[in-house]
Amino acid sequence: MARLLFACLFLLLILFQTSNCKDTNPCAPSSCGSQTISNPFRLNSDPLNCGNPLYTLHCEKNTSTVLYLDSRKYYVQAINNDNLTIRVVDAGVKKNDCSSLPDFSLTYARLGNSRSAHGMFSFTSTRSLDYVSYPYTWFQYKKTGLEWLPKYKPRALSQMMVFINCANPVNSPLYLDTGACLNGGKYSNVSLLIYSYVNVGGMKASDLIAKCSLERMALLPVNDYKNMSFKEIHSLLEYGFELSWHSSRCGRCANGCYIEDSNRTHCIGHCSIEDQAIIGCSW
Ligand SMILES: *[C@@H]1O[C@H](CO)[C@@H](O)[C@H](O)[C@H]1NC(C)=O
Ligand SMILES: *[C@@H]1O[C@H](CO)[C@@H](O)[C@H](O)[C@H]1NC(C)=O
Ligand SMILES: *[C@@H]1O[C@H](CO)[C@@H](O)[C@H](O)[C@H]1NC(C)=O
Ligand SMILES: *[C@@H]1O[C@H](CO)[C@@H](O)[C@H](O)[C@H]1NC(C)=O
Ligand SMILES: *[C@@H]1O[C@H](CO)[C@@H](O)[C@H](O)[C@H]1NC(C)=O
């Protein structure tokens, strides 16, 4: 009897160890409404050992999956496992209501290397991307260049739009009038008339005209926004923008990683990211 017990314990120990060694996530995927949440994502109601705590989502009323970025609320529209993206919409943006605005400003700085947002390769520091601070990024690295001289370029998944309020009407191709959507709406003030504009991706700080102020920044899907009306742009705000969660795969890489088309993870090498971008050094 004692022997049998011992044998059983031994077997259990082996089973336990092998399951531990495989380092696979033992948890079955969760769901929130029709959205399946699988590793590295987890719901806050899941056991702590499920998924990666950096990728915790919330479920509201079993219908809406919510991502909090800096305690700011975004509704999850889709999680794509093939290209490691998550599509989200700011909680303030309402369907078919072009007067609804993002509740918060979201900038590239919050989503990985802010320097790369402006001059793509005008890095000034050798600090590489810290995947713990930036579990979500607005780009994915893509390998370009020759096979033996790889370079890594951040490819944008989303682009910036800015909301601008002006004290006087502005006539500039950079300033798209929001029409009835915002003018006379939310910002209206009987004693202070405000003219409301947006710009997608084409503005420098120096383009801000006197008596205009930058109200808010938001992200949009990558698209050609030339000639689009504000209503059309708003419908893309409602569609949401993609963020990458490829950093979840960079765990063992000191300098970040990229995912090959074959789904293999490659650490970006020992040299700094700017070296890789410019001279294309490798691991
Ligand atoms: C949540 O919704 C899904 C799909 O609509 C359903 O299958 C599931 O039973 C619901 N779960 C709870 C706890 O209500
Ligand atoms: C890609 O690789 C990851 C980890 O190695 C794996 O979990 C995932 O299922 C793979 N995805 C595809 C589409 O093969
Ligand atoms: C990722 O996959 C989704 C679903 O197939 C697709 O809509 C989206 O455009 C893809 N994003 C990228 C950056 O490839
Ligand atoms: C309207 O603008 C005036 C002048 O700036 C300000 O004092 C007042 O609080 C504003 N009212 C509202 C409702 O925002
Ligand atoms: C925008 O409109 C102008 C004038 O109608 C046209 O010449 C131009 O080709 C359009 N651009 C795009 C990207 O559709």
Side-chain angles (χ1 to χ4, degrees), residues 143-160:
K143 189 164 81 170
T144 62
L146 302 166
E147 194 48 50
W148 47 274
L149 196 67
K151 301 178 190 224
Y152 308 96
K153 285 197 176 183
R155 182 171 74 107
L157 301 175
S158 42
Q159 66 187 99
M160 188 72 73

Side-chain angles (χ1 to χ4, degrees), residues 92-143:
V93 175
K94 304 284 184 284
K95 278 252 178 296
N96 303 317
D97 174 6
C98 69
S99 71
S100 64
L101 288 182
D103 281 336
F104 307 108
S105 270
L106 184 63
T107 62
Y108 291 133
R110 178 59 192 84
L111 301 165
N113 198 320
S114 57
R115 283 177 291 275
S116 51
H118 305 295
M120 277 278 184
F121 297 115
S122 57
F123 296 90
T124 54
S125 144
T126 54
R127 244 183 67 79
S128 60
L129 195 67
D130 168 3
Y131 79 97
V132 176
S133 310
Y134 303 110
Y136 299 100
T137 57
W138 61 276
F139 61 84
Q140 287 177 333
Y141 288 115
K142 287 289 159 204
K143 189 164 81 170

